[in-house]
Amino acid sequence: MKRRKFLQQGALASLSALTLGGLSTTASAAPHEKKPAGQPFNMLYAPHDGSFKNSAGDNFLDQIKYMYDQGFRAIEDNGMLGRDTAMQEKIGSLLAQKNMTMGVFVVDTGNNWKTSLASGKQEFKDAFIKTCKQSVETAKRVNAKWATVVPGFYDRSLPMGIQTANVLDALRRGAEIFEPHGLVMVLEPLSDTPDLFLRTAEQTFEICKAVNSPSVKILYDIYHMQRNTGHLIPTIDMCWDEIAYVQIGDNPGRKEPGTGEINYKNIFKHLHQKGYKGVLGMEHGNSIKGAEGEAALIKAYRDADNFL
């Protein structure tokens, strides 16, 4: 249901009053003191295409400019691989101009949501290798350092050890392609369906250790890990050596921080104290529709980021 215009304007005005109140802009601000709108966040939170389409329009380049103006210094774009070369180059140029960090895009073989790498079949391995090569070229255009890999579903006809060996073999081949370019595939355990081969951070940690490559690490998606295992901060600590990327989404609902059960302020503080300098991808929707919801999204991140 569409929001009335006067409600949208009122919400935006309220947000401006909240965030433009002459507060300190220094990193040493007192606890509970909010930064003005436009000041960089403490962490590299990364919105995606559509996060601010009501406030900035449908053009992703305009959205990126709007993100920067709100204090965000990173983006992510799962579908970057499918964009045409000209658009990839425009995005890369704008990010460089704004000194923003490019987060993940997905190494999308078309086989991520079915039984594929676990089967050991050559057709799936060939598709993966081909897409890894394509991903290197895309990464160069947008100065990306990470790319998401989903090995697909279990092959229920094979023993688990054989499936794991098949996945390891494919990942090693991909790592050989990524390593010379400093590109890292981040393996994402997911909660969407029990059929997925990667389900927990601990399992993914084991696979990363077995591949033993700087180009194969963990994408720790907090939303998925809360759904599958919980025990978030201790698991982060146990798997820390292999975590290269983090994604966000509250549970239940997969919306912005503060809409569910996860204490994101504590998690962000913990990551900051551990020295995490990487991207935190905002892979979630907005709990409220329209520009009003986008203003609420920014406020949610200001609140959760207020941990120093």
Side-chain angles (χ1 to χ4, degrees):
M1 182 176 67
K2 293 184 178 179
R3 301 283 175 177
R4 292 183 180 180
K5 186 175 181 181
F6 79 91
L7 286 176
Q8 296 175 346
Q9 292 173 340
L12 292 171
S14 297
L15 177 68
S16 297
L18 176 66
T19 56
L20 291 173
L23 302 173
S24 171
T25 63
T26 63
S28 59
H32 310 302
E33 189 172 287
K34 292 181 172 62
K35 294 182 179 180
Q39 289 298 304
F41 291 88
N42 294 312
M43 308 286 278
L44 288 176
Y45 309 114
H48 54 81
D49 190 359
S51 292
F52 297 106
K53 66 180 180 180
N54 294 285
S55 300
D58 290 331
N59 187 293
F60 192 28
L61 298 174
D62 291 337
Q63 292 180 40
I64 292 171
K65 294 173 186 176
Y66 183 83
M67 294 168 190
Y68 180 88
D69 290 342
Q70 306 312 309
F72 296 101
R73 293 296 181 264
I75 69 162
E76 64 177 23
D77 185 38
N78 283 346
M80 182 68 77
L81 199 63
R83 296 187 186 273
D84 60 54
T85 299
M87 185 60 173
Q88 290 174 358
E89 290 175 345
K90 288 178 182 178
I91 292 171
S93 177
L94 178 58
L95 294 177
Q97 175 190 336
K98 295 289 189 181
N99 195 27
M100 295 176 72
T101 301
M102 177 65 209
V104 291
F105 62 90
V106 176
V107 180
D108 189 356
T109 64
N111 302 317
N112 291 358
W113 296 95
K114 62 184 179 183
T115 301
S116 52
L117 296 184
S119 73
K121 293 180 180 178
Q122 192 64 41
E123 61 185 282
F124 296 120
K125 189 185 298 184
D126 289 344
F128 179 63
I129 291 169
K130 178 181 178 181
T131 310
C132 283
K133 291 177 180 178
Q134 181 184 357
S135 297
V136 168
E137 298 308 312
T138 296
K140 290 177 181 178
R141 297 185 192 109
V142 297
N143 194 32
K145 298 291 187 291
W146 309 274
T148 305
V149 166
V150 178
F153 291 0
Y154 288 110
D155 187 332
R156 303 291 183 180
S157 69
L158 295 174
M160 187 60 182
I162 301 300
Q163 294 184 66
T164 301
N166 290 337
V167 171
L168 290 173
D169 182 55
L171 296 179
R172 287 184 180 122
R173 294 294 303 280
E176 291 172 357
I177 296 167
F178 277 16
E179 280 184 18
H181 305 280
L183 185 60
V184 180
M185 68 174 75
V186 283
L187 308 178
E188 184 175 14
L190 297 166
S191 65
D192 301 271
T193 167
D195 291 324
L196 285 154
F197 178 80
L198 282 183
R199 294 276 294 160
T200 71
E202 301 95 307
Q203 175 199 13
T204 313
F205 179 87
E206 180 182 23
I207 287 174
C208 289
K209 290 297 185 185
V211 176
N212 192 28
S213 167
S215 286
V216 180
K217 297 294 179 182
I218 298 171
L219 191 169
Y220 192 91
D221 188 311
I222 297 169
Y223 164 77
H224 287 295
M225 293 305 91
Q226 174 69 359
R227 294 186 74 205
N228 279 353
T229 63
H231 208 50
L232 295 172
I233 287 177
T235 304
I236 287 171
D237 289 344
M238 286 187 287
C239 298
W240 185 250
D241 290 348
E242 300 295 336
I243 293 175
Y245 199 94
V246 175
Q247 284 182 329
I248 303 161
D250 215 334
N251 183 62
R254 202 173 186 179
K255 306 300 183 184
E256 68 270 17
T259 57
E261 64 189 354
I262 302 173
N263 189 332
Y264 267 104
K265 181 181 286 190
N266 275 0
I267 291 175
F268 292 158
K269 180 179 181 180
H270 187 73
L271 290 169
H272 186 272
Q273 290 175 337
K274 290 184 75 69
Y276 183 73
K277 303 295 184 183
V279 171
L280 296 99
M282 296 161 55
E283 198 180 46
H284 58 74
N286 298 350
S287 61
I288 303 171
K289 294 181 179 179
E292 177 187 1
E294 292 168 5
L297 174 70
I298 296 168
K299 182 180 183 301
Y301 274 89
R302 287 294 175 193
D303 290 344
D305 189 63
N306 185 34
F307 54 76
L308 293 181

